[in-house]
Amino acid sequence: MAEPGLGTLGTIAFGIAIIAAAVGGAAVLTWFERRLLGIWQDRHGPNRLGPFGVLQVVADMLKLLTKHDWVPPFADRAVFVFAPTAIVVAMLLGFAVVPFGPDLYVLDLNIGLLFFLGMTSLAVYSVLLGGLASNNKYALLGGLRSAAQMVSYEVFMGLSLMGVVMLAGSFSLRDIVEAQRELWFCIPQFLGLLTFTVAGIAESHRLPFDLPEAEHELTAGFHTEYGGMKFAMFMLGEYLGLILISAMIVTLFFGGWLGPWLPPVVWFGLKVFALICFFILLRAAIPRPRYDQLMTLGWKVMLPLTLLNLMATGALALWWRA
Amino acid sequence: MNTALFYLACVIALSATGLALTRANAAHALIYLIVSLLAVAVLFFLMGAPFAAALEIVIYAGAIMVLFVFVIMMLNIGEEGVERERDWLRPRFWIVPGIMSTLLLVELLLALRDGAAFGAALTSGQAVAPKAVGLALFGPYVLAVEIASMLLLAGLVGAYHLGRRFLVRGGRH
């Protein structure tokens, strides 16, 4: 592995800082998302507590912390308690390979991209085991849906990134950013960007792909039986997933920390922020598809598109070099 | 340091596999199996094969095991399944396979004691970059890759055929 850019102590401190920033960011996002949704839907959203209602975050946290931490008697206790932690741990680990600046990273693995894919696929267990351990029909159906959705979308999630890997010639996220100095990959890899974005939303099961929860038909899907802090962990994991997917899209397709005038980490933050706003806009704008439409979209539209992109990129890359 | 980590991961992998075999509750057994796969991924990483480690997590722990959990959820056997499994785990069912696998384990240990190559691979810690893996796969081992892809294609066609028949029959009634 390459030498860490910050030294051992610096890397540890930076890792802790990332965890704090990601968790804090996820908490603020819960408020920010509701405010933005409010603006787009022509209403106020939470605006009472503190300036612009930002203290709503604290109020929500206090409410969740003081709730009775209840485990249903019919649930599989150990698995029920373990399930929500998996998604938070996996998502936080995923942040380890994200390069925030030329020397601002925790790990520069030569398999960085695969590490990220591995962590997102491990996060699925949270939803699955939560649904299974709840011993509740709604939760089970939510978990089942999520298993099918994740497996289907994971297939082309990985494949959609292989075009980027081909162009950059490396799995290391730092090398991928460096390879975008002349041209961001969102232009030669627009099909990859499209498919990865769709897969990313499906993997973090946000609207419009939140079929595992689908409160209109499954009450709350896999987390029907969850309350208090354990429910908050699921939500935290989901928002962490949103931030992580945005950070990955920025790194892989929008030149990561690259940009003129401003310091690299500011560019990175701005790009991630813009993408998060875009994801919230998607939530406000697009209705939820039916479950079979979701699966059809994955297998019959997205997968062929991804394969097409992969073939075209490979052919062009060969032709370019010859 | 690496050696200590290696043996720690070994202990975790072996005990998790043992627990996966002996759990009566299928969901618990699967969780232990996932842990065991993660431990094997750590072993690959420590032995200088980060690419194999990543694939172990992405494919085995992340995709195949999800399908296992999916099947368990579909069947949703619950308490009676646990009882039946407990019934199957009685000594007279596992004692003969147990003896056989113990003999295999002894053989493996003997082979390990004599095979210096294993120790060398662990201590030299020669890391293999993903690019080198790709070059090897599509260079000298391209025949193996082609055979594997043909096998996978056969599996895909077979699965399609079975699913197709099911769909047609379902549609007629």
Side-chain angles (χ1 to χ4, degrees):
Chain A
M1 301 306 104
E3 275 294 300
L6 300 161
T8 315
L9 267 180
T11 305
I12 293 171
F14 184 62
I16 294 169
I18 288 181
I19 291 175
V23 173
V28 175
L29 256 186
T30 59
W31 162 79
F32 184 71
E33 174 164 32
R34 279 180 288 169
R35 273 318 293 262
L36 270 191
L37 283 177
I39 292 170
W40 283 320
Q41 292 167 350
D42 224 1
R43 55 189 175 82
H44 285 299
N47 64 347
R48 294 304 163 95
L49 271 174
F52 302 108
V54 72
L55 289 182
Q56 184 69 37
V57 177
V58 183
D60 286 345
M61 224 182 287
L62 280 178
K63 185 184 107 182
L64 286 168
L65 273 172
T66 48
K67 268 196 176 175
H68 184 189
D69 197 19
W70 186 67
V71 178
F74 46 80
D76 185 345
R77 200 183 160 84
V79 183
F80 187 84
V81 175
F82 163 75
T85 58
I87 188 167
V88 176
V89 172
M91 287 299 177
L92 283 177
L93 275 174
F95 278 99
V97 289
V98 176
F100 292 82
D103 289 312
L104 272 179
Y105 52 88
V106 178
L107 273 175
D108 179 29
L109 290 175
N110 55 4
I111 49 154
L113 194 56
L114 294 173
F115 183 86
F116 157 75
L117 288 175
M119 286 308 125
T120 49
S121 52
L122 287 185
V124 179
Y125 285 114
S126 204
V127 178
L128 286 186
L129 295 176
L132 185 62
S134 295
N135 220 347
N136 166 318
K137 293 273 188 297
Y138 287 123
L140 190 74
L141 279 174
L144 264 178
R145 278 185 175 185
S146 121
Q149 177 178 329
M150 303 281 174
V151 166
S152 314
Y153 278 69
E154 228 165 55
V155 172
F156 66 83
M157 185 182 196
L159 277 177
S160 66
L161 297 180
M162 289 310 125
V164 171
V165 175
M166 263 185 227
L167 291 181
S170 171
F171 282 115
S172 156
L173 293 172
R174 270 184 75 219
D175 294 351
I176 290 175
V177 174
E178 286 294 343
Q180 299 180 65
R181 280 213 179 269
E182 279 162 21
L183 183 65
W184 288 358
F185 285 156
C186 58
I187 296 167
Q189 281 296 311
F190 62 95
L191 269 180
L193 171 64
L194 176 78
T195 43
F196 182 70
T197 309
V198 172
I201 303 171
E203 282 286 303
S204 56
H205 43 86
R206 280 185 54 80
L207 267 158
F209 293 135
D210 70 335
L211 275 293
E213 299 175 37
E215 69 267 18
H216 64 302
E217 45 187 304
L218 290 181
T219 61
F222 63 93
H223 56 55
T224 303
E225 297 293 343
Y226 281 87
M229 273 320 280
K230 289 200 272 301
F231 171 74
M233 294 274 267
F234 272 124
M235 283 291 115
L236 174 65
E238 196 167 303
Y239 279 102
L240 284 177
L242 173 65
I243 302 175
L244 182 62
I245 291 288
S246 306
M248 283 318 276
I249 294 178
V250 166
T251 308
L252 295 167
F253 295 101
F254 291 101
W257 71 78
L258 298 174
W261 309 306
L262 296 171
V265 67
V266 175
W267 267 115
F268 187 81
L270 280 177
K271 289 174 187 172
V272 171
F273 180 74
L275 261 178
I276 289 175
C277 291
F278 172 69
F279 279 131
I280 297 174
L281 177 63
L282 273 188
R283 172 178 179 168
I286 302 182
R288 189 184 280 136
R290 237 173 34 225
Y291 187 64
D292 58 318
Q293 292 171 333
L294 178 90
M295 298 305 274
T296 313
L297 177 76
W299 287 107
K300 294 191 179 162
V301 180
M302 287 302 168
L303 185 62
L305 263 183
T306 314
L307 291 174
L308 189 75
N309 178 43
L310 198 63
M311 263 166 59
T313 311
L316 282 177
L318 272 182
W319 181 65
W320 210 260
R321 270 168 215 171
Chain B
M1 180 66 178
N2 265 6
T3 319
L5 288 177
F6 178 83
Y7 284 111
L8 182 64
C10 279
V11 169
I12 293 174
L14 286 175
S15 45
T17 312
L19 284 166
L21 287 173
T22 51
R23 289 310 90 182
N25 186 324
H28 295 178
L30 262 182
I31 293 173
Y32 281 117
L33 192 53
I34 295 163
V35 172
S36 144
L37 287 170
L38 292 180
V40 171
V42 173
L43 289 181
F44 275 132
F45 195 85
L46 288 175
M47 290 171 82
F51 190 67
L55 289 189
E56 180 87 14
I57 293 180
V58 174
I59 295 174
Y60 284 94
I64 295 179
M65 285 298 122
V66 170
L67 290 180
F68 275 61
V69 179
F70 187 77
V71 171
I72 286 186
M73 288 172 103
M74 288 259 273
L75 300 175
N76 195 17
I77 21 189
E79 286 303 312
E80 84 191 77
V82 175
E83 281 309 311
R84 198 172 53 215
E85 195 70 27
R86 205 161 271 147
D87 201 41
W88 286 345
L89 280 173
R90 273 182 309 188
R92 69 188 172 95
F93 290 107
W94 55 259
I95 211 141
V96 178
I99 291 170
M100 288 175 176
S101 34
T102 314
L103 287 177
L104 272 181
L105 179 69
V106 172
E107 267 183 45
L108 182 69
L109 288 176
L110 285 176
L112 283 185
R113 196 194 59 180
D114 298 334
F118 172 75
L122 178 60
T123 45
S124 72
Q126 191 75 19
V128 183
K131 207 173 234 173
V133 178
L135 286 175
L137 276 181
F138 286 93
Y141 296 106
V142 70
L143 188 66
V145 173
E146 287 300 324
I147 292 173
S149 69
M150 258 182 249
L151 196 66
L152 285 175
L153 183 66
L156 199 64
V157 173
Y160 181 75
H161 177 69
L162 290 175
R164 186 94 195 143
R165 216 171 49 189
F166 174 74
L167 281 181
V168 168
R169 208 167 41 206
R172 210 175 284 151
H173 295 292

